[in-house]
Amino acid sequence: MGDFTLDLNDDQRSVRDWIHGFAADVMRPAAAEWDEREETPWPIIQEAAKIGLYSLDFYAQQFFDPTGLGIPMTMEELFWGDAGIALSIVGTGLAAVGVLANGTEEQIGTWVPQMYGDADDVKVAAFCSSEPDAGSDVGAMRTRAVFDEATGEWVLNGTKTWATNGGIANVHVVVAVVDPELGTRGHASFIVPPGTPGLSQGQKFKKHGIRASHTAEVVLEDVRIPGDCLLGGKDKLDERLARARERAATGGTGGGRNAAMATFEASRPAVGAMAVGTARAAYEYALEYATGREQFGRPIIDNQGVAFQLADMRTQIDAARLLVWRASWMATAGKPFTSAEGSMSKLFASETAKKVTAQAVQILGGNGFTREYPVERMHRDSAIYTIFEGTSEIQRLVIARTLSGVPIR
């Protein structure tokens, strides 16, 4: 019987330490500046590209780590550095996962490299799913994709919102409705190549947190794209739609999987790891502060009220990491999420980040409430984890439905 271990191997530790060094030496010193500027930190992304941290090869290596821990380990260290800058570095990955989850080998080989560019000319990509009236309720999606038989092109019309890198991306991955009568089973994903006429950036959002990450609307007005920009190809889509129509006609619920959900299923443990990174950063800062800050002639950590908070913070962070690692290992090992383990990891880690960063602000007192100290920014950043890629409420719904087998609403 093989030995059970939660220790990282030598290669993983080496990669972790390398990423940690970049986060500490490059990201953290720039974090406050780019948070205030609310702009994409192109120079930091370029620095990451120069050392190979922002590249298809690096993320492919981590994605194919046989233990499943490569991606969560990477996310935790980057988001320990700074959530806004980290999201600017890894935001392209969601679009890449969208292609990996739904595309053909040829499409993956053609489009994913164009999402990153190279060290001399870095690019970013955007995954566009949410709409003004369709966030968690993907069934309310209105963006349409219609196939033009005469030209062999797809024509896209609609407005996407909350798109990371939306409008500034080199490549956009857009989820659209191809058959409204089939609900969520009538969706498909499309590549919009660079410079395609009709795609434009709408409103850029001024956000509470993760302000170094660009978030905007993407407007699609008669956007024409080649037929081979449908991820997975038209033959596969037609087969899937035919199965869905047949099942719907016989009282079934449709067939196949939803294009957007396939992407989110693959990314939820990674989002949990992001939350763990932010929570850990806040905890470590609060611990150091509590050790050095004196009141009434002694360090404030000598007070049980402070020490117990730190004990709880560390316990919750470690528990969150273990849930993330379990889900990541299960996904790599091909084990189904029979108890919604992916959603569990995202839910618990996200809620932990919000709680831990709030406790860090409290431990720092008035200092924690100012921008002179990083826990204020970490607390603002942490709010996003319980919202994007499935709110905490949606995660609870997924978990409850999975456990009960009942279509809870």
Side-chain angles (χ1 to χ4, degrees):
M1 182 176 179
D3 293 333
F4 172 78
T5 180
L6 287 173
D7 288 333
L8 300 177
N9 61 41
D10 290 342
D11 288 343
Q12 290 169 327
R13 283 196 294 270
S14 178
V15 171
R16 179 199 60 191
D17 294 345
W18 173 63
I19 300 170
H20 186 84
F22 180 84
D25 298 339
V26 180
M27 295 172 64
R28 282 200 164 182
E33 174 190 351
W34 290 101
D35 177 71
E36 291 288 342
R37 291 176 63 169
E38 299 191 52
E39 297 174 359
T40 300
W42 291 107
I44 310 299
I45 299 175
Q46 188 166 33
E47 288 300 312
K50 286 179 180 178
I51 65 170
L53 182 54
Y54 183 76
S55 70
L56 172 60
D57 288 344
F58 172 74
Y59 287 102
Q61 289 174 10
Q62 302 315 307
F63 183 81
F64 290 111
D65 180 333
T67 69
L69 301 185
I71 291 295
M73 178 187 68
T74 297
M75 296 301 172
E76 180 176 338
E77 294 305 324
L78 286 175
F79 281 75
W80 172 90
D82 177 67
I85 293 176
L87 193 57
S88 291
I89 292 173
V90 307
T92 292
L94 186 59
V97 169
V99 176
L100 291 168
N102 300 294
T104 64
E105 289 187 8
E106 182 178 357
Q107 289 170 330
I108 293 169
T110 298
W111 296 112
V112 176
Q114 294 187 49
M115 294 179 173
Y116 289 92
D118 56 46
D120 296 322
D121 185 21
V122 293
K123 305 292 185 183
V124 295
F127 182 75
C128 307
S129 176
S130 293
E131 298 183 4
D133 296 318
S136 297
D137 181 11
V138 294
M141 191 177 294
R142 296 180 181 177
T143 297
R144 288 296 309 275
V146 178
F147 188 65
D148 186 338
E149 297 281 356
T151 63
E153 297 174 316
W154 288 93
V155 184
L156 277 60
N157 281 282
T159 299
K160 294 296 182 178
T161 194
W162 309 121
T164 299
N165 299 328
I168 66 171
N170 193 47
V171 176
H172 290 77
V173 178
V174 177
V175 181
V177 179
V178 294
D179 190 332
E181 295 182 0
L182 293 177
T184 59
R185 301 303 183 185
H187 296 178
S189 292
F190 299 84
I191 291 286
V192 180
T196 300
L199 184 148
S200 63
Q201 178 184 308
Q203 176 186 5
K204 178 186 175 182
F205 296 105
K206 297 180 72 65
K207 305 189 299 295
H208 175 65
I210 54 167
R211 301 198 302 191
S213 174
H214 176 96
T215 309
E217 290 181 332
V218 174
V219 181
L220 304 138
E221 297 179 306
D222 291 328
V223 173
R224 287 184 168 269
I225 56 175
D228 59 8
C229 285
L230 164 65
L231 290 178
K234 195 167 186 305
D235 289 344
K236 184 176 178 181
L237 173 66
D238 288 342
E239 291 174 5
R240 177 166 65 83
L241 294 179
R243 289 196 303 270
R245 293 185 188 109
E246 182 179 355
R247 293 194 63 182
T250 58
T253 58
R257 60 180 181 171
N258 175 263
M261 290 300 101
T263 301
F264 294 142
E265 285 168 8
S267 64
R268 277 173 179 160
V271 176
M274 298 174 188
V276 170
T278 299
R280 190 183 113 213
Y283 157 76
E284 289 177 359
Y285 197 93
L287 176 63
E288 182 179 1
Y289 183 90
T291 303
R293 171 72 167 172
E294 291 192 1
Q295 289 287 282
F296 304 104
R298 62 180 184 178
I300 63 172
I301 199 171
D302 285 358
N303 297 298
Q304 205 176 78
V306 173
F308 280 14
Q309 283 194 74
L310 289 163
D312 287 343
M313 292 158 74
R314 176 59 186 266
T315 300
Q316 290 159 1
I317 290 167
D318 282 11
R321 183 185 297 109
L322 287 171
L323 283 171
V324 167
W325 282 17
R326 179 183 69 168
S328 301
W329 170 77
M330 289 178 68
T332 298
K335 296 182 179 296
F337 290 162
T338 55
S339 299
E341 288 86 353
S343 289
M344 283 185 183
S345 70
K346 200 263 186 188
L347 169 65
F348 189 80
S350 298
E351 296 291 344
T352 293
K354 283 187 68 174
K355 184 175 182 179
V356 165
T357 55
Q359 288 175 302
V361 170
Q362 188 69 24
I363 289 171
L364 267 69
N367 288 332
F369 198 64
T370 72
R371 294 189 184 181
E372 298 301 315
Y373 291 79
V375 293
E376 178 272 341
R377 184 179 66 253
M378 295 169 186
H379 184 43
R380 286 189 286 108
D381 290 342
S382 70
I384 194 59
Y385 300 127
T386 62
I387 297 172
F388 71 175
E389 296 196 49
T391 64
S392 288
E393 292 74 20
I394 289 296
Q395 305 308 325
R396 290 184 175 98
L397 187 64
V398 170
I399 296 166
R401 285 176 174 175
T402 303
L403 297 178
S404 68
V406 176
I408 300 166
R409 298 182 65 84

PDB file of all heavy atoms in Angstrom, residues 227-256:
ATOM      1  N   GLY A 227     -17.120  29.923 -39.979  1.00  0.00           N
ATOM      2  CA  GLY A 227     -17.816  28.765 -39.429  1.00  0.00           C
ATOM      3  C   GLY A 227     -16.954  27.933 -38.512  1.00  0.00           C
ATOM      4  O   GLY A 227     -17.464  27.345 -37.541  1.00  0.00           O
ATOM      5  N   ASP A 228     -15.647  27.885 -38.770  1.00  0.00           N
ATOM      6  CA  ASP A 228     -14.780  27.055 -37.935  1.00  0.00           C
ATOM      7  C   ASP A 228     -14.422  27.720 -36.606  1.00  0.00           C
ATOM      8  O   ASP A 228     -13.630  27.190 -35.832  1.00  0.00           O
ATOM      9  CB  ASP A 228     -13.509  26.648 -38.686  1.00  0.00           C
ATOM     10  CG  ASP A 228     -12.677  27.834 -39.153  1.00  0.00           C
ATOM     11  OD1 ASP A 228     -12.992  28.983 -38.780  1.00  0.00           O
ATOM     12  OD2 ASP A 228     -11.700  27.612 -39.898  1.00  0.00           O
ATOM     13  N   CYS A 229     -15.025  28.883 -36.319  1.00  0.00           N
ATOM     14  CA  CYS A 229     -14.837  29.523 -35.014  1.00  0.00           C
ATOM     15  C   CYS A 229     -15.858  29.044 -33.988  1.00  0.00           C
ATOM     16  O   CYS A 229     -15.842  29.491 -32.838  1.00  0.00           O
ATOM     17  CB  CYS A 229     -14.903  31.050 -35.149  1.00  0.00           C
ATOM     18  SG  CYS A 229     -13.419  31.769 -35.890  1.00  0.00           S
ATOM     19  N   LEU A 230     -16.767  28.163 -34.394  1.00  0.00           N
ATOM     20  CA  LEU A 230     -17.661  27.497 -33.443  1.00  0.00           C
ATOM     21  C   LEU A 230     -16.856  26.421 -32.731  1.00  0.00           C
ATOM     22  O   LEU A 230     -16.357  25.488 -33.361  1.00  0.00           O
ATOM     23  CB  LEU A 230     -18.846  26.861 -34.179  1.00  0.00           C
ATOM     24  CG  LEU A 230     -19.667  25.829 -33.405  1.00  0.00           C
ATOM     25  CD1 LEU A 230     -20.372  26.480 -32.213  1.00  0.00           C
ATOM     26  CD2 LEU A 230     -20.669  25.142 -34.322  1.00  0.00           C
ATOM     27  N   LEU A 231     -16.711  26.535 -31.417  1.00  0.00           N
ATOM     28  CA  LEU A 231     -15.907  25.570 -30.683  1.00  0.00           C
ATOM     29  C   LEU A 231     -16.543  24.184 -30.728  1.00  0.00           C
ATOM     30  O   LEU A 231     -17.718  24.020 -30.414  1.00  0.00           O
ATOM     31  CB  LEU A 231     -15.721  26.024 -29.236  1.00  0.00           C
ATOM     32  CG  LEU A 231     -14.820  27.250 -29.045  1.00  0.00           C
ATOM     33  CD1 LEU A 231     -14.739  27.640 -27.578  1.00  0.00           C
ATOM     34  CD2 LEU A 231     -13.413  26.983 -29.591  1.00  0.00           C
ATOM     35  N   GLY A 232     -15.745  23.220 -31.136  1.00  0.00           N
ATOM     36  CA  GLY A 232     -16.215  21.844 -31.262  1.00  0.00           C
ATOM     37  C   GLY A 232     -16.678  21.495 -32.660  1.00  0.00           C
ATOM     38  O   GLY A 232     -16.764  20.323 -33.014  1.00  0.00           O
ATOM     39  N   GLY A 233     -17.008  22.512 -33.464  1.00  0.00           N
ATOM     40  CA  GLY A 233     -17.430  22.271 -34.836  1.00  0.00           C
ATOM     41  C   GLY A 233     -18.932  22.111 -34.979  1.00  0.00           C
ATOM     42  O   GLY A 233     -19.634  21.746 -34.033  1.00  0.00           O
ATOM     43  N   LYS A 234     -19.431  22.385 -36.199  1.00  0.00           N
ATOM     44  CA  LYS A 234     -20.875  22.375 -36.442  1.00  0.00           C
ATOM     45  C   LYS A 234     -21.465  20.968 -36.409  1.00  0.00           C
ATOM     46  O   LYS A 234     -22.596  20.775 -35.948  1.00  0.00           O
ATOM     47  CB  LYS A 234     -21.202  23.037 -37.780  1.00  0.00           C
ATOM     48  CG  LYS A 234     -22.695  23.386 -37.919  1.00  0.00           C
ATOM     49  CD  LYS A 234     -22.955  24.301 -39.091  1.00  0.00           C
ATOM     50  CE  LYS A 234     -24.414  24.751 -39.106  1.00  0.00           C
ATOM     51  NZ  LYS A 234     -25.374  23.666 -39.093  1.00  0.00           N
ATOM     52  N   ASP A 235     -20.734  19.981 -36.886  1.00  0.00           N
ATOM     53  CA  ASP A 235     -21.267  18.614 -36.866  1.00  0.00           C
ATOM     54  C   ASP A 235     -21.559  18.167 -35.434  1.00  0.00           C
ATOM     55  O   ASP A 235     -22.620  17.592 -35.155  1.00  0.00           O
ATOM     56  CB  ASP A 235     -20.284  17.645 -37.524  1.00  0.00           C
ATOM     57  CG  ASP A 235     -20.208  17.833 -39.028  1.00  0.00           C
ATOM     58  OD1 ASP A 235     -21.114  18.485 -39.584  1.00  0.00           O
ATOM     59  OD2 ASP A 235     -19.242  17.336 -39.637  1.00  0.00           O
ATOM     60  N   LYS A 236     -20.621  18.444 -34.551  1.00  0.00           N
ATOM     61  CA  LYS A 236     -20.800  18.067 -33.146  1.00  0.00           C
ATOM     62  C   LYS A 236     -21.965  18.840 -32.526  1.00  0.00           C
ATOM     63  O   LYS A 236     -22.759  18.274 -31.766  1.00  0.00           O
ATOM     64  CB  LYS A 236     -19.513  18.345 -32.369  1.00  0.00           C
ATOM     65  CG  LYS A 236     -19.552  17.905 -30.915  1.00  0.00           C
ATOM     66  CD  LYS A 236     -18.208  18.136 -30.248  1.00  0.00           C
ATOM     67  CE  LYS A 236     -18.248  17.734 -28.778  1.00  0.00           C
ATOM     68  NZ  LYS A 236     -16.930  17.973 -28.104  1.00  0.00           N
ATOM     69  N   LEU A 237     -22.082  20.124 -32.877  1.00  0.00           N
ATOM     70  CA  LEU A 237     -23.193  20.923 -32.362  1.00  0.00           C
ATOM     71  C   LEU A 237     -24.531  20.385 -32.857  1.00  0.00           C
ATOM     72  O   LEU A 237     -25.479  20.232 -32.082  1.00  0.00           O
ATOM     73  CB  LEU A 237     -23.036  22.387 -32.780  1.00  0.00           C
ATOM     74  CG  LEU A 237     -24.228  23.308 -32.442  1.00  0.00           C
ATOM     75  CD1 LEU A 237     -24.387  23.441 -30.927  1.00  0.00           C
ATOM     76  CD2 LEU A 237     -24.052  24.678 -33.097  1.00  0.00           C
ATOM     77  N   ASP A 238     -24.607  20.084 -34.154  1.00  0.00           N
ATOM     78  CA  ASP A 238     -25.863  19.581 -34.710  1.00  0.00           C
ATOM     79  C   ASP A 238     -26.281  18.273 -34.045  1.00  0.00           C
ATOM     80  O   ASP A 238     -27.467  18.053 -33.761  1.00  0.00           O
ATOM     81  CB  ASP A 238     -25.720  19.379 -36.224  1.00  0.00           C
ATOM     82  CG  ASP A 238     -25.654  20.707 -36.979  1.00  0.00           C
ATOM     83  OD1 ASP A 238     -26.045  21.739 -36.400  1.00  0.00           O
ATOM     84  OD2 ASP A 238     -25.208  20.698 -38.139  1.00  0.00           O
ATOM     85  N   GLU A 239     -25.321  17.396 -33.786  1.00  0.00           N
ATOM     86  CA  GLU A 239     -25.626  16.135 -33.115  1.00  0.00           C
ATOM     87  C   GLU A 239     -26.142  16.379 -31.697  1.00  0.00           C
ATOM     88  O   GLU A 239     -27.111  15.750 -31.255  1.00  0.00           O
ATOM     89  CB  GLU A 239     -24.368  15.253 -33.068  1.00  0.00           C
ATOM     90  CG  GLU A 239     -23.925  14.734 -34.432  1.00  0.00           C
ATOM     91  CD  GLU A 239     -22.606  13.991 -34.344  1.00  0.00           C
ATOM     92  OE1 GLU A 239     -22.098  13.810 -33.208  1.00  0.00           O
ATOM     93  OE2 GLU A 239     -22.062  13.601 -35.401  1.00  0.00           O
ATOM     94  N   ARG A 240     -25.487  17.299 -30.999  1.00  0.00           N
ATOM     95  CA  ARG A 240     -25.910  17.597 -29.623  1.00  0.00           C
ATOM     96  C   ARG A 240     -27.298  18.211 -29.586  1.00  0.00           C
ATOM     97  O   ARG A 240     -28.133  17.851 -28.748  1.00  0.00           O
ATOM     98  CB  ARG A 240     -24.885  18.540 -28.968  1.00  0.00           C
ATOM     99  CG  ARG A 240     -25.265  18.980 -27.564  1.00  0.00           C
ATOM    100  CD  ARG A 240     -24.096  19.610 -26.845  1.00  0.00           C
ATOM    101  NE  ARG A 240     -23.647  20.843 -27.456  1.00  0.00           N
ATOM    102  CZ  ARG A 240     -24.200  22.040 -27.246  1.00  0.00           C
ATOM    103  NH1 ARG A 240     -25.269  22.139 -26.462  1.00  0.00           N
ATOM    104  NH2 ARG A 240     -23.712  23.122 -27.803  1.00  0.00           N
ATOM    105  N   LEU A 241     -27.567  19.127 -30.504  1.00  0.00           N
ATOM    106  CA  LEU A 241     -28.885  19.762 -30.549  1.00  0.00           C
ATOM    107  C   LEU A 241     -29.970  18.759 -30.920  1.00  0.00           C
ATOM    108  O   LEU A 241     -31.088  18.804 -30.387  1.00  0.00           O
ATOM    109  CB  LEU A 241     -28.878  20.928 -31.544  1.00  0.00           C
ATOM    110  CG  LEU A 241     -27.990  22.124 -31.192  1.00  0.00           C
ATOM    111  CD1 LEU A 241     -28.074  23.185 -32.283  1.00  0.00           C
ATOM    112  CD2 LEU A 241     -28.359  22.718 -29.841  1.00  0.00           C
ATOM    113  N   ALA A 242     -29.650  17.832 -31.819  1.00  0.00           N
ATOM    114  CA  ALA A 242     -30.628  16.815 -32.219  1.00  0.00           C
ATOM    115  C   ALA A 242     -30.996  15.924 -31.024  1.00  0.00           C
ATOM    116  O   ALA A 242     -32.173  15.595 -30.816  1.00  0.00           O
ATOM    117  CB  ALA A 242     -30.067  15.969 -33.362  1.00  0.00           C
ATOM    118  N   ARG A 243     -29.994  15.536 -30.242  1.00  0.00           N
ATOM    119  CA  ARG A 243     -30.269  14.724 -29.052  1.00  0.00           C
ATOM    120  C   ARG A 243     -31.120  15.497 -28.058  1.00  0.00           C
ATOM    121  O   ARG A 243     -32.047  14.953 -27.451  1.00  0.00           O
ATOM    122  CB  ARG A 243     -28.956  14.290 -28.398  1.00  0.00           C
ATOM    123  CG  ARG A 243     -28.157  13.253 -29.171  1.00  0.00           C
ATOM    124  CD  ARG A 243     -27.100  12.608 -28.299  1.00  0.00           C
ATOM    125  NE  ARG A 243     -26.184  13.591 -27.720  1.00  0.00           N
ATOM    126  CZ  ARG A 243     -25.058  13.994 -28.299  1.00  0.00           C
ATOM    127  NH1 ARG A 243     -24.716  13.501 -29.492  1.00  0.00           N
ATOM    128  NH2 ARG A 243     -24.278  14.862 -27.709  1.00  0.00           N
ATOM    129  N   ALA A 244     -30.802  16.775 -27.898  1.00  0.00           N
ATOM    130  CA  ALA A 244     -31.560  17.599 -26.953  1.00  0.00           C
ATOM    131  C   ALA A 244     -33.010  17.755 -27.401  1.00  0.00           C
ATOM    132  O   ALA A 244     -33.939  17.679 -26.586  1.00  0.00           O
ATOM    133  CB  ALA A 244     -30.898  18.972 -26.808  1.00  0.00           C
ATOM    134  N   ARG A 245     -33.225  17.950 -28.713  1.00  0.00           N
ATOM    135  CA  ARG A 245     -34.604  18.094 -29.224  1.00  0.00           C
ATOM    136  C   ARG A 245     -35.383  16.790 -29.060  1.00  0.00           C
ATOM    137  O   ARG A 245     -36.565  16.798 -28.723  1.00  0.00           O
ATOM    138  CB  ARG A 245     -34.553  18.506 -30.696  1.00  0.00           C
ATOM    139  CG  ARG A 245     -33.994  19.910 -30.938  1.00  0.00           C
ATOM    140  CD  ARG A 245     -34.086  20.309 -32.388  1.00  0.00           C
ATOM    141  NE  ARG A 245     -33.380  21.564 -32.635  1.00  0.00           N
ATOM    142  CZ  ARG A 245     -32.242  21.657 -33.315  1.00  0.00           C
ATOM    143  NH1 ARG A 245     -31.693  20.569 -33.853  1.00  0.00           N
ATOM    144  NH2 ARG A 245     -31.663  22.832 -33.484  1.00  0.00           N
ATOM    145  N   GLU A 246     -34.699  15.671 -29.305  1.00  0.00           N
ATOM    146  CA  GLU A 246     -35.368  14.383 -29.180  1.00  0.00           C
ATOM    147  C   GLU A 246     -35.803  14.133 -27.742  1.00  0.00           C
ATOM    148  O   GLU A 246     -36.934  13.711 -27.486  1.00  0.00           O
ATOM    149  CB  GLU A 246     -34.423  13.264 -29.645  1.00  0.00           C
ATOM    150  CG  GLU A 246     -35.057  11.875 -29.583  1.00  0.00           C
ATOM    151  CD  GLU A 246     -34.113  10.794 -30.069  1.00  0.00           C
ATOM    152  OE1 GLU A 246     -33.009  11.134 -30.550  1.00  0.00           O
ATOM    153  OE2 GLU A 246     -34.466   9.607 -29.940  1.00  0.00           O
ATOM    154  N   ARG A 247     -34.928  14.429 -26.816  1.00  0.00           N
ATOM    155  CA  ARG A 247     -35.257  14.217 -25.406  1.00  0.00           C
ATOM    156  C   ARG A 247     -36.340  15.186 -24.952  1.00  0.00           C
ATOM    157  O   ARG A 247     -37.217  14.828 -24.173  1.00  0.00           O
ATOM    158  CB  ARG A 247     -34.014  14.364 -24.540  1.00  0.00           C
ATOM    159  CG  ARG A 247     -32.980  13.260 -24.782  1.00  0.00           C
ATOM    160  CD  ARG A 247     -31.935  13.245 -23.699  1.00  0.00           C
ATOM    161  NE  ARG A 247     -32.522  12.935 -22.393  1.00  0.00           N
ATOM    162  CZ  ARG A 247     -31.819  12.895 -21.263  1.00  0.00           C
ATOM    163  NH1 ARG A 247     -30.525  13.167 -21.282  1.00  0.00           N
ATOM    164  NH2 ARG A 247     -32.415  12.602 -20.125  1.00  0.00           N
ATOM    165  N   ALA A 248     -36.272  16.413 -25.453  1.00  0.00           N
ATOM    166  CA  ALA A 248     -37.297  17.395 -25.085  1.00  0.00           C
ATOM    167  C   ALA A 248     -38.663  16.962 -25.608  1.00  0.00           C
ATOM    168  O   ALA A 248     -39.691  17.127 -24.939  1.00  0.00           O
ATOM    169  CB  ALA A 248     -36.926  18.770 -25.633  1.00  0.00           C
ATOM    170  N   ALA A 249     -38.678  16.379 -26.809  1.00  0.00           N
ATOM    171  CA  ALA A 249     -39.941  15.958 -27.409  1.00  0.00           C
ATOM    172  C   ALA A 249     -40.571  14.789 -26.657  1.00  0.00           C
ATOM    173  O   ALA A 249     -41.792  14.615 -26.674  1.00  0.00           O
ATOM    174  CB  ALA A 249     -39.714  15.560 -28.870  1.00  0.00           C
ATOM    175  N   THR A 250     -39.734  14.013 -25.965  1.00  0.00           N
ATOM    176  CA  THR A 250     -40.246  12.854 -25.222  1.00  0.00           C
ATOM    177  C   THR A 250     -40.362  13.144 -23.735  1.00  0.00           C
ATOM    178  O   THR A 250     -40.487  12.229 -22.926  1.00  0.00           O
ATOM    179  CB  THR A 250     -39.325  11.636 -25.436  1.00  0.00           C
ATOM    180  OG1 THR A 250     -37.988  11.977 -25.017  1.00  0.00           O
ATOM    181  CG2 THR A 250     -39.321  11.220 -26.890  1.00  0.00           C
ATOM    182  N   GLY A 251     -40.293  14.431 -23.393  1.00  0.00           N
ATOM    183  CA  GLY A 251     -40.449  14.819 -21.989  1.00  0.00           C
ATOM    184  C   GLY A 251     -39.183  14.805 -21.190  1.00  0.00           C
ATOM    185  O   GLY A 251     -39.213  14.949 -19.962  1.00  0.00           O
ATOM    186  N   GLY A 252     -38.016  14.664 -21.866  1.00  0.00           N
ATOM    187  CA  GLY A 252     -36.732  14.689 -21.169  1.00  0.00           C
ATOM    188  C   GLY A 252     -36.291  16.109 -20.899  1.00  0.00           C
ATOM    189  O   GLY A 252     -37.008  17.072 -21.153  1.00  0.00           O
ATOM    190  N   THR A 253     -35.072  16.236 -20.393  1.00  0.00           N
ATOM    191  CA  THR A 253     -34.556  17.556 -20.022  1.00  0.00           C
ATOM    192  C   THR A 253     -33.475  18.053 -20.959  1.00  0.00           C
ATOM    193  O   THR A 253     -32.790  19.003 -20.661  1.00  0.00           O
ATOM    194  CB  THR A 253     -33.990  17.523 -18.598  1.00  0.00           C
ATOM    195  OG1 THR A 253     -32.959  16.530 -18.527  1.00  0.00           O
ATOM    196  CG2 THR A 253     -35.078  17.227 -17.592  1.00  0.00           C
ATOM    197  N   GLY A 254     -33.342  17.406 -22.109  1.00  0.00           N
ATOM    198  CA  GLY A 254     -32.291  17.839 -23.024  1.00  0.00           C
ATOM    199  C   GLY A 254     -31.084  16.951 -22.894  1.00  0.00           C
ATOM    200  O   GLY A 254     -31.009  16.081 -22.036  1.00  0.00           O
ATOM    201  N   GLY A 255     -30.090  17.160 -23.762  1.00  0.00           N
ATOM    202  CA  GLY A 255     -28.893  16.336 -23.718  1.00  0.00           C
ATOM    203  C   GLY A 255     -27.653  17.164 -23.822  1.00  0.00           C
ATOM    204  O   GLY A 255     -27.675  18.314 -24.174  1.00  0.00           O
ATOM    205  N   GLY A 256     -26.533  16.556 -23.486  1.00  0.00           N
ATOM    206  CA  GLY A 256     -25.266  17.258 -23.568  1.00  0.00           C
ATOM    207  C   GLY A 256     -25.070  18.186 -22.393  1.00  0.00           C
ATOM    208  O   GLY A 256     -25.865  18.258 -21.472  1.00  0.00           O
TER     209      GLY A 256
END
